[in-house]
């Protein structure tokens, strides 16, 4: 049977319902020794994504996963196609980090229609359309609004100048961390009238783009003295652009960021970055634990929240050896 599912104004998808079976809640998962598991990664162009994929591979054997892992190379359309292919290969369960909030909705809906429980990993989808407990089992991940809040609070407490002129480097447009890290930071920082955000532009969570965008924004706003980047890769790119332009990150410009990569912790130790709020990529063990609890019939909360730390000059050296 073919059914047309409407996903908001712009997106519609046709799905086949297997033998007329449909699920009001998320599909069940049998208790088994081994599971065929799909992990549909969005891209592998930064250390965070590489560490996350490795965490799934490292967990596979001990969790009884026959892991099918794909890389969508930065394309939401390919990520949807990768999930289609996993469904065709008969996966029991899907772990999905959706690159953007809306374009990945069809993948979530199609997995459900095929009787496959989906766990959203590290990013979420549009909650006006897809809900935990109905379309997907749960979102496993950080509180991105809180991460933005914490970056802003560090800046408020540590900025010594009179006027903070901020350039914001946003993550991938339409992704949940870009939306929420912006909201969390902007709402908090603008409560302090020392600060002004003079430009906010996407660097797509990528180092090269972060560097290029910073170069351009520096010309338009030479008085900038704070950079807030939605992830460490863009922050490192921005530091490179600033240094090329003769600026001194950590001395005449404060850099605040999110993730906790090795390069960011090194930049903090070197005095070039002020803070990075942690966003852990090590989801493999958590995914195994939550999946097994779900199979055993335990009630899973709609949001399995990951608690994050904050890395500054006080503790960066203590954690660099475990960083990725
Ligand atoms: O979804 C989490 C974000 O995605 C990380 O902060 C970023 O580095 C990654 O690409």
């Amino acid at each position: 049977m073919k059914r047309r599912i409407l996903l908001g104004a712009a997106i519609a998808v046709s799905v086949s319902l297997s033998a007329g079976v449909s699920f009001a809640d998320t599909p069940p998962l049998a208790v088994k020794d081994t599971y065929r598991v799909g992990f549909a990664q969005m891209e592998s162009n930064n250390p965070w994504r590489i560490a996350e994929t490795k965490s799934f591979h490292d967990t596979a054997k001990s969790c009884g996963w026959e892991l099918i892992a794909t890389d969508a190379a930065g394309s939401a359309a390919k990520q949807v196609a990768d999930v289609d292919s996993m469904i065709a290969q008969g996966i029991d369960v899907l772990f999905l980090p959706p690159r953007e909030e809306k374009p990945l909705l069809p993948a979530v809906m199609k997995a459900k229609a095929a009787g496959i429980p989906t766990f959203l990993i590290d990013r979420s989808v549009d909650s006006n359309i897809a809900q935990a407990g109905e379309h997907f089992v749960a979102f496993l991940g950080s509180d991105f609004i809180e991460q933005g809040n914490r970056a802003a609070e560090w800046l408020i407490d540590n900025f010594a100048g009179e006027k903070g002129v901020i350039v914001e480097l946003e993550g991938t447009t339409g992704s949940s961390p870009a939306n929420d890290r912006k909201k969390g930071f902007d709402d908090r920082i603008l409560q302090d009238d020392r600060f002004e955000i003079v430009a906010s532009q996407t660097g797509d969570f990528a180092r090269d783009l972060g560097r290029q965008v910073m170069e351009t924004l520096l010309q338009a706003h030479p008085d900038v003295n704070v950079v807030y980047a939605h992830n460490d890769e863009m922050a490192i790119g921005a530091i490179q652009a600033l240094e090329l332009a003769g600026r001194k990150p950590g001395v005449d410009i404060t850099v605040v960021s999110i993730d906790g990569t090795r390069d960011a912790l090194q930049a903090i130790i070197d005095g070039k970055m002020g803070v990075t709020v942690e966003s852990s990529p090590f989801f493999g063990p958590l995914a195994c634990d939550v999946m097994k609890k779900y199979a055993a019939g335990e009630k899973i909360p709609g949001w399995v929240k990951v608690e994050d730390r904050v890395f500054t000059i006080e503790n960066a050296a203590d954690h660099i050896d475990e960083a990725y």
Side-chain angles (χ1 to χ4, degrees), residues 162-200:
E162 272 178 28
K163 182 89 193 136
V165 180
I166 303 172
V167 157
E168 180 168 353
L169 298 176
E170 300 174 19
T172 299
T173 304
S175 70
S176 58
N179 292 342
D180 290 354
R181 287 174 185 169
K182 179 166 183 58
K183 179 170 176 37
F185 180 86
D186 293 9
D187 286 357
R188 184 70 190 91
I189 207 72
L190 296 177
Q191 288 167 11
D192 184 327
D193 55 20
R194 285 180 301 159
F195 295 100
E196 182 189 4
I197 300 170
V198 291
S200 187

Side-chain angles (χ1 to χ4, degrees), residues 126-188:
D126 186 342
S127 60
N128 293 314
I129 299 170
Q131 275 94 41
E134 185 183 347
H135 303 99
F136 58 92
V137 178
F139 163 57
L140 281 52
S142 295
D143 184 336
F144 299 131
I145 292 183
E146 191 176 288
Q147 290 176 341
N149 273 176
R150 292 171 89 184
E153 265 154 25
W154 182 90
L155 188 58
I156 288 166
D157 291 345
N158 290 277
F159 183 73
E162 272 178 28
K163 182 89 193 136
V165 180
I166 303 172
V167 157
E168 180 168 353
L169 298 176
E170 300 174 19
T172 299
T173 304
S175 70
S176 58
N179 292 342
D180 290 354
R181 287 174 185 169
K182 179 166 183 58
K183 179 170 176 37
F185 180 86
D186 293 9
D187 286 357
R188 184 70 190 91

Side-chain angles (χ1 to χ4, degrees), residues 43 46 48-49 122-123 144 177 181 205 230-231 259 279:
E43 58 210 358
N46 71 49
W48 199 100
R49 290 284 144 205
D122 93 69
R123 291 190 191 179
F144 299 131
R181 287 174 185 169
F205 282 130
H230 288 190
N231 82 341
D259 268 354
S279 196

Side-chain angles (χ1 to χ4, degrees), residues 26-32 35-37 91-95 115-117 119 137 290-297:
T26 47
L29 184 64
V31 176
K32 301 195 292 184
Y35 293 90
R36 182 170 268 220
V37 165
I91 53 169
D92 298 306
V93 58
L94 173 64
F95 293 119
I116 298 161
F119 296 83
V137 178
V290 175
M291 184 207 88
K292 292 217 158 153
K293 285 180 172 149
Y294 182 68

Side-chain angles (χ1 to χ4, degrees), residues 79 117 131 161 167 174 191 207 213 247 257 273:
Q79 205 178 11
Q131 275 94 41
V167 157
Q191 288 167 11
R207 185 180 293 210
V213 171
R247 300 292 300 268
S257 177
M273 190 186 286

